[in-house]
Amino acid sequence: MSDNSAKDIASKWLKDFGSFLWTVDTEGLASSFHSDGWLRDTLVFTWNNRARCGPEKIVQYIRDSNLKPETISQFELDERAYFAPEHGPLMRGASGVSFGFKFTTPIAFGRGYARLLLDESSNVWKALTVFMTVDDLIGHEEAGPELGVYDGHTVAWSDVHEERRRRIETDPYVLIVGGGQTGLNVASRFLRMNIPCLVVEQNPRIGDNWRKRYPTLSLHTPRSHHPMLYQPFPDHWPIYTPRDKIANWLEQYAVCQDLIIWNNSHPIPTPSYDYSAKKWTITVNRSGEHVTLHPRHVVLATGTLGHPRIPRIVNIEQFKGPITHSSEYAGANALLSKSAGKRVVVVGAGNTSADICQDLCFHGAEVTMVQRSSTCVVSASGVRKGLEMRYPPDVPTAVSDFKFFSMPLPYIKRLLSKEKDRLAANEKDLQDGLRKAGMDINMGPDGTGNFLLVFEKLGGYWLDVGCADMIASGKIKIKQGVEIESATSDTVTFADGSTLPADALVLATGYESIRDTMREIFGDETMDKTSLVWGLDEEGELLGSYRPTGHPGLWFATGDFVNSRFSSKQLALEIKAIELGLMQV
């Protein structure tokens, strides 16, 4: 079929779909979708992100939104590169038509993306997925580049920047807590959206949240998947970004993006919120000086995960060797130099544990990994292949982000479920070796791999870069299905009564939720009003992140590079809408 026929198919469907929304023809709207089709909405019908499956639920959602006739209009195809209508596979054994589109509302410019599949029973093209999102509020569009010449070429840029810094430091509209990749992406987005924001970061330097991790750490996703917003990596950048390179990249990114940041700074207990003035009173410890600010919004971007989770081990104080949580693991040489021997027990079987075990084994330690529950283990090379299909290196990141987020996560799960036999076959040799070594291995929810575990649990998996071979060959031992219950000076005893000699312990036991950690700062009364953070709600949308939390003026920004790159726009639009009186709090 020709490209013209793809355009014809898309044009006809979009014309009908736009007409149904213009007149609020719910019967016609229902006919636009397959029986298991999805509508994903971000801020168009409600000031939130929602997803509904099936014509009946989609129609009920539109009814509940109280959409008025003649509200959504001017539907047209987006014929730019990467968004023009095209034929291609939509799922295993089925091809269809995918395309971008544009529309307007009385207050916003919108964008969307649809995937159509021919309904063979009616010979009508219907939607498998439709994504609709606010792209910009009219009159408050995301800014492009400045001219770079100020006041007729009479004022230096450094003076302009210093004046902007002074205004923001005196009266920030938003306070962003956390200067890692998430906080920086959000701050960059806010800057383009004319939302004055100040970032406070507890570390001395931007990037220290990475520099403090173990030396061999590299991101296990390919570089096309983890650039920062607005600023791609150079062509020679490593496929898997090492710890120190990402740390230094974040530091220069903050400078290049003109972000206003206080290092060595953190909020102190207990901020208060004035419901009448709709402002916070929050005191920041800035390098020892207490500074009180009154932002209208606080964005918590300190990471999805909070404080390290430390298991309770009876008589742990008797253990003579070093005990280190993985968050403080500084490498094999540093740990072994503190130990009287080389017998190391590593508790946990996720990504970090695998990296640490591999590092210790390579440096001559006798390593036992304690796997307490089943783990999804897949090869990093296989994950790279899958991610580079969704994030091709030669396609702009913003394009890949838009297309990825146009798909509800349950729809992606459905696609992966159709591939589960192939996914399992690809990992069979790796996983069989681990099972023979005594590990309990799975292929993720419904055999879909690690992908959904990222969003459901942010754990329970590892992407293998060599640890599996060390386990399969017996170089790394496995203790499976039990917790450490108690310790002596040089042994650990498990719940089943067995013991292991140990000279050092590494606890790769994960972290508590950011919501619980922030109770130390904001108090229970405030945090109890917020929703759960991370995991998926009943519609397959992320809980508590980049959407209203239940407490006015308090937001969570969580997830990896992808989440903050894309969803920072949603958060910026929500805050701007509140400022303009369009969204109620």
Side-chain angles (χ1 to χ4, degrees):
M1 301 177 75
S2 69
D3 288 340
N4 287 335
S5 66
K7 181 177 178 179
D8 290 343
I9 291 166
S11 295
K12 182 183 186 312
W13 182 91
L14 187 63
K15 180 181 178 181
D16 291 341
F17 182 71
S19 175
F20 297 146
L21 284 176
W22 174 253
T23 59
V24 194
D25 178 353
T26 54
E27 183 177 335
L29 190 65
S31 72
S32 299
F33 290 86
H34 280 273
S35 59
D36 54 357
W38 282 87
L39 171 68
R40 183 164 194 256
D41 165 42
T42 302
L43 309 182
V44 177
F45 300 101
T46 66
W47 288 106
N48 210 321
N49 50 293
R50 300 288 303 277
R52 306 300 284 158
C53 180
E56 290 184 7
K57 290 184 178 179
I58 292 170
V59 165
Q60 189 60 52
Y61 174 63
I62 300 300
R63 289 184 181 129
D64 291 344
S65 73
N66 294 316
L67 177 69
K68 300 295 189 294
E70 302 183 7
T71 298
I72 303 179
S73 63
Q74 298 181 14
F75 281 84
E76 61 180 74
L77 294 177
D78 186 344
E79 298 194 68
R80 295 174 299 167
Y82 306 112
F83 295 104
E86 61 180 359
H87 284 285
L90 298 183
M91 60 179 62
R92 191 174 186 86
S95 283
V97 174
S98 302
F99 61 95
F101 60 89
K102 302 176 184 179
F103 60 92
T104 62
T105 77
I107 62 170
F109 298 114
R111 292 177 65 195
Y113 201 83
R115 296 172 178 84
L116 309 182
L117 184 67
L118 185 65
D119 179 15
E120 295 182 356
S121 63
S122 63
N123 201 35
V124 174
W125 289 88
K126 297 186 178 185
L128 281 178
T129 69
V130 177
F131 176 50
M132 297 179 67
T133 183
V134 169
D135 193 39
D136 273 311
L137 296 173
I138 297 173
H140 303 274
E141 293 82 3
E142 188 168 340
E146 294 181 337
L147 183 61
V149 176
Y150 303 94
D151 287 350
H153 207 230
T154 63
V155 177
W157 175 86
S158 56
D159 293 331
V160 172
H161 182 61
E162 192 56 38
E163 173 59 21
R164 291 171 179 172
R165 172 182 286 276
R166 185 195 63 77
R167 291 199 306 267
I168 288 174
E169 290 181 328
T170 301
D171 186 26
Y173 192 77
V174 179
L175 182 70
I176 298 174
V177 182
Q181 65 272 9
T182 296
L184 299 183
N185 272 334
V186 171
S188 295
R189 181 75 77 177
F190 284 8
L191 181 66
R192 298 285 187 95
M193 298 286 288
N194 192 28
I195 299 173
C197 65
L198 171 66
V199 179
V200 294
E201 165 57 39
Q202 65 180 351
N203 286 307
R205 294 170 60 190
I206 293 296
D208 279 351
N209 60 316
W210 289 96
R211 291 186 190 94
K212 292 181 177 181
R213 304 291 301 278
Y214 51 94
T216 58
L217 184 150
S218 290
L219 299 184
H220 289 177
T221 58
R223 67 183 186 186
S224 62
H225 187 258
H226 60 251
M228 294 293 286
L229 186 62
Y230 310 123
Q231 196 165 322
F233 295 124
D235 290 343
H236 68 281
W237 197 260
I239 300 299
Y240 299 108
T241 305
R243 176 198 75 172
D244 294 302
K245 285 189 72 69
I246 199 66
N248 294 337
W249 185 257
L250 294 180
E251 191 167 39
Q252 63 82 34
Y253 177 85
V255 174
C256 291
Q257 296 293 320
D258 301 331
L259 306 182
I260 310 303
I261 299 173
W262 289 354
N263 288 320
N264 283 314
S265 302
H266 59 88
I268 63 174
T270 303
S272 61
Y273 185 75
D274 186 327
Y275 283 83
S276 177
K278 298 181 180 179
K279 287 186 176 183
W280 289 93
T281 295
I282 184 166
T283 300
V284 174
N285 182 331
R286 185 186 185 190
S287 300
E289 177 187 0
H290 286 191
V291 182
T292 299
L293 302 170
H294 300 283
R296 289 188 176 271
H297 301 271
V298 175
V299 177
L300 300 178
T302 56
T304 310
L305 305 175
H307 289 328
R309 184 179 291 117
I310 307 297
R312 182 179 179 276
I313 300 175
V314 176
N315 297 327
I316 192 62
E317 69 281 356
Q318 295 181 11
F319 190 77
K320 292 183 178 179
I323 303 172
T324 306
H325 189 270
S326 56
S327 59
E328 298 177 338
Y329 176 75
N333 288 332
L335 180 71
L336 295 175
S337 68
K338 301 175 184 178
S339 176
K342 292 191 173 185
R343 301 170 299 184
V344 185
V345 174
V346 181
V347 183
N351 248 335
T352 299
S353 173
D355 279 357
I356 290 173
C357 288
Q358 184 176 357
D359 182 37
L360 287 165
C361 182
F362 179 79
H363 285 87
E366 300 173 26
V367 183
T368 299
M369 174 191 286
V370 179
Q371 185 199 29
R372 298 167 296 169
S373 58
S374 185
T375 309
C376 174
V377 182
V378 293
S379 62
S381 59
V383 170
R384 173 188 170 185
K385 184 176 180 180
L387 285 177
E388 287 185 340
M389 290 177 64
R390 299 198 183 280
Y391 283 82
D394 58 346
V395 174
T397 304
V399 171
S400 297
D401 280 345
F402 191 82
K403 290 186 176 182
F404 172 74
F405 282 95
S406 72
M407 295 183 289
L409 289 175
Y411 173 76
I412 297 178
K413 182 178 181 179
R414 177 186 167 198
L415 297 183
L416 291 173
S417 294
K418 293 178 177 294
E419 300 289 330
K420 62 182 181 181
D421 291 341
R422 180 184 61 81
L423 294 173
N426 290 343
E427 307 297 346
K428 184 178 186 306
D429 291 343
L430 180 149
Q431 294 194 347
D432 283 350
L434 294 174
R435 290 189 179 96
K436 289 178 182 178
M439 292 195 72
D440 183 358
I441 300 299
N442 66 72
M443 266 303 289
D446 298 327
T448 56
N450 72 296
F451 175 80
L452 287 167
L453 288 171
V454 174
F455 298 98
E456 292 178 350
K457 298 174 60 178
L458 207 64
Y461 64 91
W462 91 58
L463 312 185
D464 187 68
V465 292
C467 183
D469 284 344
M470 291 180 169
I471 292 172
S473 66
K475 294 178 181 178
I476 296 173
K477 307 299 182 185
I478 297 296
K479 181 71 175 178
Q480 202 283 321
V482 290
E483 300 269 5
I484 295 179
E485 195 168 77
S486 63
T488 66
S489 61
D490 59 357
T491 64
V492 291
T493 299
F494 295 91
D496 62 2
S498 61
T499 63
L500 272 179
D503 301 305
L505 280 177
V506 179
L507 304 175
T509 47
Y511 302 82
E512 66 184 24
S513 166
I514 180 180
R515 182 170 178 258
D516 293 329
T517 294
M518 282 296 160
R519 290 177 183 277
E520 296 179 6
I521 304 297
F522 285 83
D524 289 339
E525 183 178 352
T526 293
M527 299 312 295
D528 283 347
K529 294 176 182 177
T530 64
S531 63
L532 296 175
V533 181
W534 207 253
L536 302 179
D537 65 17
E538 66 279 1
E539 297 177 358
E541 297 291 312
L542 278 176
L543 289 165
S545 302
Y546 306 98
R547 62 196 303 192
T549 63
H551 191 293
L554 186 61
W555 309 84
F556 291 106
T558 62
D560 63 10
F561 293 79
V562 173
N563 296 99
S564 55
R565 258 196 334 257
F566 184 80
S567 298
S568 57
K569 183 66 176 277
Q570 175 181 336
L571 180 53
L573 287 166
E574 289 165 325
I575 287 175
K576 180 62 73 171
I578 291 170
E579 176 189 351
L580 297 172
L582 301 173
M583 177 178 172
Q584 301 303 311
V585 294

